[in-house]
Amino acid sequence: MRIAMLSYHTCPLATLGGKDTGGMNVYVRDFTRQLGSMGICVDVYTRSQDEHVPHVLHDLGYGNRVVHVPSGPEVPLPKPELAAYLPEFVEGVSHFTQDKGLKYDLIHSHYWLSGMAARDLKNAWGVPLVHMFHTLGEMKKRVEKEGEAESNYRIEAEREVISIADRIIVATVAELAQLQWLYQADTKRMVIIPPGVDLSRFYPIPKDEAKEYLGVPQEHCMLLFVGRIEPLKGLTALIQALALMRERGKFPDHHLFLSIIGGDPSVPVDETTEMGRLRAYCEQYGLEDVVAFLGKRSQDTLPYYYSAAEVVVVPSHYESFGMVALEAMACSTPVVASQVGGLAYLVQDGVTGFHVPDGDPEALAARLTTLMGDHELRLRMGEQAAVYARDFSWERIAPRIVDVYQQLLSGK
């Protein structure tokens, strides 16, 4: 079986924490590696964003390739500009396949932009299309201020992808319901399969060893946020929650601090940027000594951060799934997460962590105070989280997606 995997707007090899890098990059990378280990050939096609990076890389192992296709200027571009270069991307993919004499059994596309490219390739190749949205325009439109024209164009494109995809893989029953209610989508062509986690990478590291690796004093207690620096991620509520805890004397006797992984703190900021706004909040609440903006971190170091943390906080206003929460749980760390989207299903309230209403600093402060004041509770939740995360290993998840492939190819 040979699969054409499309990840147009972001490369699975990109460093995490940037504006357009996150859970989807991890998903495509780790899923492709798992398919390779199962003897399935995969070529991942993505838009070239750096002319100095070779156009073909074999960093995913098992003979699988990442093909960087020149489409417009080979530099990072804002998402609103990317749709204009989709025809050039499709043409580049077609040329590569012709030059290499490749034929694919199936296309698996990720995000709406890739879905639009897949539409043209599906018609040209006459093969089935499996699609994953990862996030939905209608949901993002409800929780953040996107450009109206961009939102409408994206939503119409998503409707078209829904109409042409042979199968749509959704992460949770919540995503299925959103597609049904907001897009009037036919759920008969949808399959609920959650993302997987690489348990060979994300596993519990003894806390003292993780802290030593990171240079964190053993007596210090770390809260951790990992994700893009954007309003959708809800960092304002987290900073306000910390301010409430300090104001009410709820900080524990030991040293408590928040590490924020994501963005690039070395880039000049002002009050109009999200990073600038968050820094201003920290200054306003007197939290400069408590909150550390660490910028991007490699995937290899994340298990140390997750394991060193007492709690991982995911205060997002919207998450279709919540890969950060799953990775943290695999490292035996409890999670406090907003009760939204996939997080409401992924984090087991009172078992592997706590749910809180999104945008509610009071509720967030209360749950963090409870956890930080009870070492035994943190230990118990962390152990339960690690056991729960084993059900999401790629060794268990990937065969379920391969079953979808095989059913399509057999005409079922």
Side-chain angles (χ1 to χ4, degrees):
M1 188 186 301
R2 182 178 288 275
I3 308 297
M5 196 85 69
L6 305 187
S7 180
Y8 171 67
H9 81 283
T10 184
C11 176
L13 304 177
T15 302
L16 301 182
K19 189 174 186 309
D20 292 320
T21 55
M24 192 184 110
N25 302 68
V26 175
Y27 184 104
V28 174
R29 183 196 64 199
D30 291 350
F31 177 45
T32 298
R33 283 179 176 155
Q34 183 61 35
L35 290 178
S37 73
M38 298 166 67
I40 296 173
C41 300
V42 184
D43 289 325
V44 181
Y45 292 96
T46 187
R47 192 185 76 86
S48 176
Q49 300 188 50
D50 186 343
E51 63 181 0
H52 302 294
V53 172
H55 286 157
V56 180
L57 290 173
H58 284 260
D59 292 11
L60 297 179
Y62 303 100
N64 292 339
R65 292 175 285 206
V66 176
V67 183
H68 298 92
V69 181
S71 316
E74 292 185 82
V75 295
L77 293 173
K79 282 184 188 173
E81 297 179 23
L82 291 178
Y85 300 106
L86 277 170
E88 191 175 343
F89 177 76
V90 170
E91 185 178 355
V93 173
S94 298
H95 282 322
F96 184 86
T97 59
Q98 290 167 8
D99 290 345
K100 297 286 185 177
L102 299 171
K103 291 189 181 298
Y104 296 101
D105 298 295
L106 183 140
I107 300 169
H108 191 157
S109 55
H110 299 266
Y111 198 65
W112 69 274
L113 285 162
S114 297
M116 294 302 287
R119 172 197 61 183
D120 297 336
L121 293 170
K122 170 183 166 69
N123 291 336
W125 297 343
V127 298
L129 167 62
V130 174
H131 183 75
M132 299 182 67
F133 282 106
H134 295 274
T135 63
L136 295 169
E138 280 283 10
M139 289 300 299
K140 294 194 77 170
K141 189 176 180 180
R142 280 162 166 71
V143 296
E144 69 177 15
K145 295 177 181 178
E146 288 188 1
E148 190 65 27
E150 178 197 351
S151 297
N152 291 338
Y153 178 82
R154 171 179 175 174
I155 290 165
E156 287 307 308
E158 286 173 341
R159 291 184 185 279
E160 183 168 359
V161 174
I162 290 168
S163 71
I164 63 167
D166 296 282
R167 288 290 184 278
I168 296 172
I169 295 177
V170 297
T172 65
V173 68
E175 186 180 356
L176 184 144
Q178 290 157 7
L179 284 162
Q180 184 178 23
W181 296 338
L182 300 177
Y183 293 82
Q184 297 76 49
D186 179 5
T187 59
K188 291 178 183 177
R189 289 182 290 115
M190 297 182 191
V191 185
I192 301 173
I193 304 176
V197 63
D198 181 0
L199 295 182
S200 70
R201 183 191 302 267
F202 295 101
Y203 57 86
I205 299 171
K207 197 170 293 293
D208 61 331
E209 296 174 15
K211 285 183 173 181
E212 181 182 5
Y213 177 87
L214 298 174
V216 174
Q218 295 295 330
E219 69 275 12
H220 285 206
C221 289
M222 178 169 67
L223 303 177
L224 179 65
F225 168 91
V226 178
R228 294 186 298 277
I229 306 301
E230 59 183 20
L232 189 71
K233 295 299 182 180
L235 269 168
T236 299
L238 176 52
I239 291 170
Q240 290 172 335
L242 288 180
L244 288 172
M245 291 170 68
R246 171 175 272 190
E247 177 187 319
R248 295 167 182 173
K250 298 298 185 182
F251 268 25
D253 294 335
H254 36 254
H255 301 280
L256 178 70
F257 67 101
L258 168 66
S259 291
I260 295 176
I261 294 179
D264 187 349
S266 67
V267 173
V269 298
D270 57 45
E271 65 277 3
T272 65
T273 67
E274 182 65 4
M275 181 73 81
R277 199 171 65 84
L278 293 172
R279 287 184 178 278
Y281 270 122
C282 292
E283 186 175 339
Q284 175 185 336
Y285 295 122
L287 295 174
E288 301 99 319
D289 61 328
V290 175
V291 180
F293 292 89
L294 303 182
K296 301 176 184 179
R297 288 293 184 269
S298 74
Q299 190 80 346
D300 290 335
T301 65
L302 283 182
Y304 291 96
Y305 282 99
Y306 288 137
S307 297
E310 307 297 330
V311 181
V312 169
V313 189
V314 189
S316 306
H317 299 301
Y318 166 54
E319 290 283 352
S320 61
F321 183 68
M323 283 297 299
V324 165
L326 179 57
E327 291 170 353
M329 289 192 293
C331 293
S332 198
T333 302
V335 176
V336 176
S338 299
Q339 192 174 11
V340 297
L343 291 170
Y345 295 87
L346 180 61
V347 178
Q348 295 178 300
D349 188 47
V351 180
T352 64
F354 287 121
H355 293 155
V356 293
D358 69 296
D360 189 339
E362 288 276 359
L364 186 51
R367 286 309 193 187
L368 290 176
T369 298
T370 297
L371 273 170
M372 294 312 301
D374 193 333
H375 175 71
E376 292 302 318
L377 177 62
R378 295 199 305 275
L379 258 171
R380 184 170 69 252
M381 283 188 162
E383 290 170 356
Q384 291 166 168
V387 171
Y388 178 63
R390 291 174 198 157
D391 288 335
F392 295 85
S393 71
W394 273 116
E395 287 79 7
R396 295 187 180 188
I397 298 297
R400 294 169 61 182
I401 301 175
V402 172
D403 283 345
V404 174
Y405 293 170
Q406 290 173 336
Q407 287 172 17
L408 283 174
L409 296 176
S410 67
K412 292 183 181 178

